[in-house]
């Protein structure tokens, strides 16, 4: 197996050349827009549409970043996004661990009916819920609050989290929790002392997925918040457009800052990232 | 963690029935799984089941939310929407956006996955290119929208490149020309969505047993024949699943359209999602908005049913 790449490479130089051209063309397609974003974030706003354009800024400045970090309103967008996303992740994991435990380890009336409900609510489009949510959130006193957005996002993250974790728990032998019961422990102990600690890979996968859903959400963040101090990063970027002029360099630097948590998650947990996302798509 | 409000139920049930009667123990045993499910059931009931009932109710009311005593109008909103030109336009745009996105996503994702799976490349080269190719995936839709607005500005870098290479003589108004805007937003959606296919198909390709190809080589199969008779049939379940999922997601796409064209110019990029949103939050016709939202729900449900059925065929 190991000698195979070289053997084939030598056998067909034309295929190799074609492959390299295709690889580079693909890389340009994927990466050039991103490089342009990075480059624009280090330009003064007056240089954004300079003619001819330069990928390497002619005047390199951290001005756009400074303006974001020194503006409490813009810093607040990030604080909001981090707080909401982390809270959604923690709560989703907690609630879904409990539900997945019930689905994986107990038999009870209406189990399959509940399971069908959880699978099918995934198909409900956000826009369908948006209209009743507006009134509902105002009625519950949750309009323009963190709690409102956190609970909303959990509705979209929970079903997937429960399905994934139920699958994960199902792969763990029941003897593990039986042993706890023999020692006089409750099911609660078995769950938190035995199952959860050995389910860390599954929890990381689900956690990353959940964090990304919350971090990226736009529609409800736009509609269920009103004041500028409650806005999240995706809405904050949009707020830089319009008012007086387009602060393109700040929009780009905010975009770069906005993708950092996702980038870090990707770099450190690449395996879980791709595994979780595609498994969710292909399996559930 | 245990201080969270949603965690109240299970700890109450953890006692295991020490010192209680057999009856009580039995009740606890039956109640236990429900205890674990309580937070989920409460949340989904209040924020999923009730809203769906509400939206269906709204869709049959006139001037709902805006006035105190809305009138029941039955299916009037549905009839109005389904027979309106604006809805047909939004539906057509959505179908174009969906179908082109799904097909090109699939082709690009497959192409990239095949390249990354090539035995001619070393491990390091593969992981470098995989990271580059996955880049568009790391950005949220809001970021993708502003990035492409910058790139596609009439005085922006894309027009500059096209004019430098004499592919066009005038600055193209990508997002505000009614003849072009729909293609432009579809292109942006394609750029942002192919990595999902690429990673899934790559995982799929790596899962195809090597001896299938070896056996085919012994029989003298060409590269093309291997693709048609081994690779594609093996990937079929993944391809069907992803295409349906992508179709569902693309139908629901709102942020990208809203932040690039807002459905304009002249409604040429109006999608079912922006059409519905405008009913509610631009013209405050919540009854019509609800009816439109229910129509999207039904479409999604049908697609999901197909998705689940396709999944069942696989296993």
């Amino acid at each position: 197996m190991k000698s195979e790449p070289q053997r084939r490479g030598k056998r067909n130089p034309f295929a190799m050349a074609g492959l390299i051209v295709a690889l580079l063309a693909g890389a340009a397609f994927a990466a050039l827009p991103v490089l342009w974003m990075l480059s624009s974030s280090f330009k003064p706003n007056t240089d954004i549409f300079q003619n001819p354009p330069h990928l390497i800024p002619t005047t390199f400045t951290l001005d756009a970043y400074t303006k974001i970090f020194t503006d409490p309103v813009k810093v607040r967008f990030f604080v909001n996004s981090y707080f909401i996303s982390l809270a959604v992740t923690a709560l989703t994991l907690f609630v879904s661990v409990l539900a997945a435990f019930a689905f994986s380890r107990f038999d009870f009336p209406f189990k399959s009916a509940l399971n069908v409900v959880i699978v099918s609510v995934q198909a409900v489009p956000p826009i369908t819920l948006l209209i009743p949510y507006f009134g509902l959130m105002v009625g519950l006193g949750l309009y323009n609050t963190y709690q409102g957005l956190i609970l909303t996002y959990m509705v979209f993250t929970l079903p997937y989290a429960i399905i994934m974790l139920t699958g994960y728990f199902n792969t763990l032998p029941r003897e593990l929790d039986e042993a706890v019961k023999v020692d006089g422990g409750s099911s609660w102990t078995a769950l938190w002392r035995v199952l959860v600690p050995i389910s860390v890979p599954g929890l990381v996968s689900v956690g990353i997925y959940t964090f990304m859903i919350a971090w990226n959400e736009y529609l409800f963040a736009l509609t269920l918040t009103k004041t500028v101090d409650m806005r999240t990063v995706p809405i904050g970027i949009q707020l830089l457009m319009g008012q007086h002029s387009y602060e393109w360099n700040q929009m780009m630097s905010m975009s770069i800052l906005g993708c950092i948590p996702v980038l870090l998650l990707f770099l450190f947990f690449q395996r879980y990232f791709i595994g979780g996302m595609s498994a969710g798509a292909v399996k559930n | 963690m245990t201080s969270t409000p949603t965690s109240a139920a299970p700890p109450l049930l953890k006692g295991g029935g020490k010192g209680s009667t057999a009856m009580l123990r039995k009740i606890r045993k039956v109640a236990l799984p429900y205890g674990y499910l309580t937070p989920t059931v409460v949340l989904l009931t209040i924020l999923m089941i009730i809203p769906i009932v509400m939206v269906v109710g709204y869709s049959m009311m006139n001037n709902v939310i805006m006035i105190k005593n809305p009138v029941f109008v039955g299916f009037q909103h549905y009839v109005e929407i389904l027979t309106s030109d604006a809805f047909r336009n939004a539906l057509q745009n959505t179908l174009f956006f969906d179908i082109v996105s799904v097909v090109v996503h699939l082709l690009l994702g497959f192409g990239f996955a095949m390249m990354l799976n090539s035995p001619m490349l070393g491990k390091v080269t593969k992981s470098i290119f995989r990271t580059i190719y996955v880049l568009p995936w790391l950005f949220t839709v809001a970021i993708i929208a502003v990035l492409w607005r910058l790139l596609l500005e009439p005085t922006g870098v894309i027009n500059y490149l096209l004019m430098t290479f004499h592919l066009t003589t005038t600055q193209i108004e990508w997002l505000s020309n009614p003849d072009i805007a729909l293609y432009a937003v579809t292109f942006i959606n394609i750029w942002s969505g192919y990595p999902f296919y690429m990673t899934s198909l790559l995982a799929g390709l790596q899962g195809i047993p090597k001896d299938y190809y070896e056996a085919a080589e012994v029989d003298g199969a060409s590269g093309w024949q291997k693709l048609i008779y081994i690779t594609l049939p093996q990937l079929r379940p993944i391809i069907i699943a992803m295409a349906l999922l992508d179709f569902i997601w693309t139908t629901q796409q709102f942020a990208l359209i809203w932040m690039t064209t807002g459905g304009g110019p002249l409604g040429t990029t109006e999608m079912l999602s922006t059409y519905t949103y405008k009913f509610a939050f631009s013209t405050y016709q919540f009854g019509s908005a609800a009816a439109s939202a229910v129509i999207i729900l039904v479409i999604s449900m049908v697609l999901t049913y197909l998705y689940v059925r396709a999944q069942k065929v696989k296993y």
Side-chain angles (χ1 to χ4, degrees):
Chain A
M1 272 308 295
K2 273 193 179 158
S3 62
E4 197 181 40
Q6 281 178 351
R7 185 175 57 98
R8 287 211 187 162
K10 271 181 195 155
R11 207 170 52 183
N12 199 340
F14 289 109
M16 190 67 195
L19 180 65
I20 290 171
V21 170
L23 275 174
L24 293 177
F29 173 74
L32 278 181
V34 179
L35 287 178
W36 194 256
M37 173 194 289
L38 191 65
S39 149
S40 299
S41 76
F42 292 115
K43 287 177 184 173
N45 202 35
T46 45
D47 278 5
I48 291 288
F49 295 116
Q50 70 192 140
N51 195 347
H54 292 276
L55 186 58
I56 314 282
T58 43
T59 320
F60 182 91
T61 171
L62 290 172
D63 189 46
Y65 290 91
T66 322
K67 276 197 178 132
I68 286 172
F69 282 119
T70 52
D71 184 346
V73 173
K74 287 165 193 158
V75 172
R76 182 73 187 247
F77 297 150
F78 286 92
V79 173
N80 289 344
S81 268
Y82 276 104
F83 176 73
I84 291 172
S85 305
L86 289 173
V88 170
T89 308
L91 287 170
T92 299
L93 283 176
F94 182 70
V95 174
S96 61
V97 158
L98 299 181
F101 184 58
F103 278 122
S104 171
R105 292 302 199 257
F106 294 91
D107 279 310
F108 48 91
F110 304 113
K111 179 175 170 175
S112 59
L114 255 174
N115 199 31
V116 168
V117 169
I118 285 170
V119 170
S120 52
V121 293
Q122 285 185 300
V124 176
I127 192 98
T128 303
L129 294 178
L130 187 71
I131 295 149
Y133 263 41
F134 191 69
L136 199 63
M137 286 294 169
V138 173
L140 293 170
L142 294 175
Y143 179 66
N144 201 36
T145 64
Y146 288 130
Q147 302 91 296
L149 277 187
I150 290 169
L151 291 173
T152 303
Y153 293 173
M154 284 179 72
V155 170
F156 294 102
T157 56
L158 263 183
Y160 173 84
I162 293 171
I163 292 162
M164 286 300 287
L165 288 178
T166 305
Y168 203 93
F169 285 163
N170 282 342
T171 65
L172 306 173
R174 271 172 184 256
E175 287 76 24
L176 288 172
D177 26 330
E178 298 300 332
V180 177
K181 278 191 194 141
V182 170
D183 293 345
S186 62
S187 62
W188 182 256
T189 321
L191 172 61
W192 292 105
R193 293 279 164 80
V194 179
L195 285 187
V196 168
I198 53 172
S199 303
V200 170
L203 294 171
V204 170
S205 228
V206 170
I208 289 173
Y209 172 85
T210 305
F211 183 91
M212 288 198 31
I213 295 274
W215 184 263
N216 293 338
E217 207 284 328
Y218 176 84
L219 182 62
F220 287 92
L222 176 71
T223 323
L224 298 183
T225 63
K226 187 174 70 184
T227 54
V228 79
D229 62 316
M230 290 306 299
R231 298 298 200 180
T232 57
V233 172
I235 312 298
I237 291 172
Q238 191 198 11
L239 291 179
L240 287 171
M241 285 193 278
Q243 297 150 334
H244 311 292
S245 58
Y246 284 17
E247 300 287 351
W248 285 112
N249 59 343
Q250 284 189 55
M251 279 192 252
M252 292 304 121
S253 56
M254 202 185 257
S255 299
I256 295 288
L257 295 171
C259 85
I260 283 176
V262 182
L263 185 69
L264 290 179
L265 286 175
F266 179 74
L267 290 178
F268 286 110
F269 298 106
Q270 199 169 139
R271 200 160 52 89
Y272 300 113
F273 205 94
I274 291 170
M277 300 287 261
S278 49
V282 181
K283 266 186 215 147
N284 67 27
Chain B
M1 275 290 217
T2 39
S3 65
T4 51
T6 41
S7 70
L12 291 177
L13 297 162
K14 81 174 185 178
K18 208 181 289 172
S20 54
T21 64
M23 183 69 182
L24 204 59
R25 211 177 302 150
K26 205 178 167 195
I27 290 172
R28 278 197 182 177
K29 207 178 165 207
V30 173
L32 195 57
Y34 295 109
Y36 284 114
L37 282 166
T38 302
T40 303
V41 170
V42 169
L43 195 72
L44 289 184
T45 305
I46 297 177
L47 290 179
M48 186 63 86
I49 311 296
I50 293 178
I52 290 176
V53 174
M54 282 169 75
V55 76
V56 173
Y58 284 177
S59 72
M60 299 185 182
M61 298 288 190
N62 206 9
N63 275 333
V64 70
I65 298 181
M66 300 309 290
I67 59 168
K68 259 218 169 89
N69 299 307
V71 201
F72 180 82
V73 293
F75 290 101
Q76 190 190 317
H77 293 306
Y78 290 93
V79 174
E80 277 167 15
I81 287 172
L82 291 170
T83 55
S84 75
D85 288 342
F87 175 79
R88 201 174 317 132
N89 173 49
L91 185 66
Q92 275 171 1
N93 290 341
T94 308
L95 278 177
F96 176 87
F97 186 63
D98 282 354
I99 291 169
V100 175
S101 293
V102 168
V103 169
V104 183
H105 273 158
L106 193 58
L107 292 175
L108 272 181
F110 185 69
F112 281 124
M114 286 294 277
M115 288 199 288
L116 293 177
N117 198 44
S118 163
M120 290 190 274
L121 299 177
K123 218 178 159 196
V124 180
T125 321
K126 276 183 191 176
S127 79
I128 290 172
F129 278 99
R130 197 181 60 203
T131 309
I132 293 174
Y133 292 163
V134 99
L135 275 175
W137 201 14
L138 303 181
F139 299 94
T140 165
V141 182
I143 293 176
I144 284 163
V146 290
L147 170 62
W148 282 93
R149 280 184 65 161
L150 173 67
L151 297 167
L152 294 174
E153 272 286 306
T155 53
V157 64
I158 289 192
N159 273 342
Y160 173 83
L161 289 175
L162 290 176
M163 286 166 83
T164 306
F165 292 108
H166 299 289
L167 294 168
T168 171
T169 48
T170 50
Q171 290 177 345
I172 298 170
E173 307 255 347
W174 294 102
L175 294 170
S176 47
N177 181 334
D179 296 330
I180 300 175
L182 183 58
Y183 301 106
V185 291
T186 308
F187 178 84
I188 301 173
N189 191 54
I190 287 166
W191 185 80
S192 74
Y194 78 84
F196 167 67
Y197 282 76
M198 183 188 81
T199 47
S200 304
L201 286 172
L202 187 56
L205 283 173
Q206 286 162 350
I208 302 176
K210 292 272 182 295
D211 29 324
Y212 287 19
Y213 292 106
E214 278 156 21
E217 266 165 43
V218 170
D219 292 345
S222 69
W224 182 251
Q225 284 171 321
K226 280 187 275 183
L227 177 71
I228 298 290
Y229 294 109
I230 301 172
T231 313
L232 289 180
Q234 287 288 314
L235 292 179
R236 218 190 96 159
I238 304 182
I239 290 173
I240 292 173
M242 277 191 316
L244 279 166
L245 259 188
D246 191 30
F247 204 93
I248 295 169
W249 288 338
T250 313
T251 305
Q252 299 172 1
Q253 181 60 270
F254 170 80
L256 181 68
I257 306 294
W258 192 246
M259 289 185 69
T260 49
T261 62
L266 304 173
T268 49
T269 60
E270 194 81 276
M271 302 288 158
L272 291 177
S273 59
T274 53
Y275 173 80
T276 308
Y277 186 86
K278 282 179 184 169
F279 260 136
F281 297 98
S282 297
T283 58
Y284 303 105
Q285 293 168 276
F286 285 97
S288 302
S292 180
V294 172
I295 293 169
I296 299 180
L297 175 67
V298 171
I299 295 173
S300 276
M301 284 296 179
V302 171
L303 289 171
T304 308
Y305 173 73
L306 293 176
Y307 170 72
V308 172
R309 233 181 46 173
Q311 293 297 86
K312 285 219 176 99
V313 171
K314 185 176 151 197
Y315 296 107

